């Protein structure tokens, strides 16, 4: 028998369900472009909340992630897909370990 969820666990579960549903709607309406735009909006909102809470290091962190992504895209366009492949593989592993559960 499993124990009932705590209010924090229910809140996290509700948030994850909301994210999954909104992502699904974005994909249905605009495809992969819609998915990307959804996650950019969610991320921008979260960055604003973190800055408001005094966690200003979120801005250089996001900037570094964007620079890394652009570098991987540029290298792939130049014919060297190693960085892109490593980045995608790492992203998949992290999301599987730490992302919301379906």
């Amino acid at each position: 028998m499993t124990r009932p969820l705590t209010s924090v666990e229910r809140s996290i579960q509700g948030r994850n369900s909301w994210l999954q549903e909104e992502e699904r709607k974005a994909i249905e309406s605009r495809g992969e472009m819609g998915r990307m735009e959804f996650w950019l909006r969610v991320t921008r909102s979260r960055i604003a909340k973190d800055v408001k809470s005094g966690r200003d290091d979120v801005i250089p962190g996001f900037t570094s992630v964007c620079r890394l992504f652009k570098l991987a895209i540029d290298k792939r366009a130049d014919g060297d897909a190693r960085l892109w492949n490593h980045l995608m593989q790492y992203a998949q592993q992290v999301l599987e370990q730490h992302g919301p559960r379906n």
Side-chain angles (χ1 to χ4, degrees):
M1 191 151 110
T2 60
R3 65 172 175 73
L5 296 176
T6 67
S7 63
V8 171
E9 290 169 331
R10 282 192 310 272
S11 176
I12 290 169
Q13 191 177 50
R15 173 78 174 158
N16 288 342
S17 295
W18 178 84
L19 286 170
Q20 290 170 355
E21 179 62 18
E22 292 300 310
E23 180 182 36
R24 183 190 63 76
K25 289 178 189 175
I27 293 167
E28 284 179 1
S29 69
R30 300 234 11 215
E32 286 299 312
M33 188 63 76
R35 180 192 303 232
M36 178 196 66
E37 291 167 350
F38 167 73
W39 284 110
L40 283 173
R41 281 192 308 276
V42 169
T43 302
R44 184 173 179 191
S45 173
R46 182 54 197 256
I47 289 170
K49 289 176 186 174
D50 276 25
V51 168
K52 199 172 194 177
S53 297
R55 294 184 292 272
D56 295 333
D57 61 339
V58 71
I59 293 173
F62 182 72
T63 302
S64 293
V65 169
C66 289
R67 290 179 63 205
L68 172 60
F69 191 79
K70 184 189 174 303
L71 177 63
I73 291 171
D74 290 346
K75 288 218 174 258
R76 184 174 69 165
D78 291 342
D80 182 1
R82 288 177 297 169
L83 181 57
W84 175 262
N85 293 335
H86 289 279
L87 185 60
M88 294 300 102
Q89 182 181 18
Y90 180 68
Q92 187 62 38
Q93 289 172 354
V94 170
L95 291 171
E96 286 173 3
Q97 284 184 333
H98 303 284
R101 303 288 181 233
N102 293 332

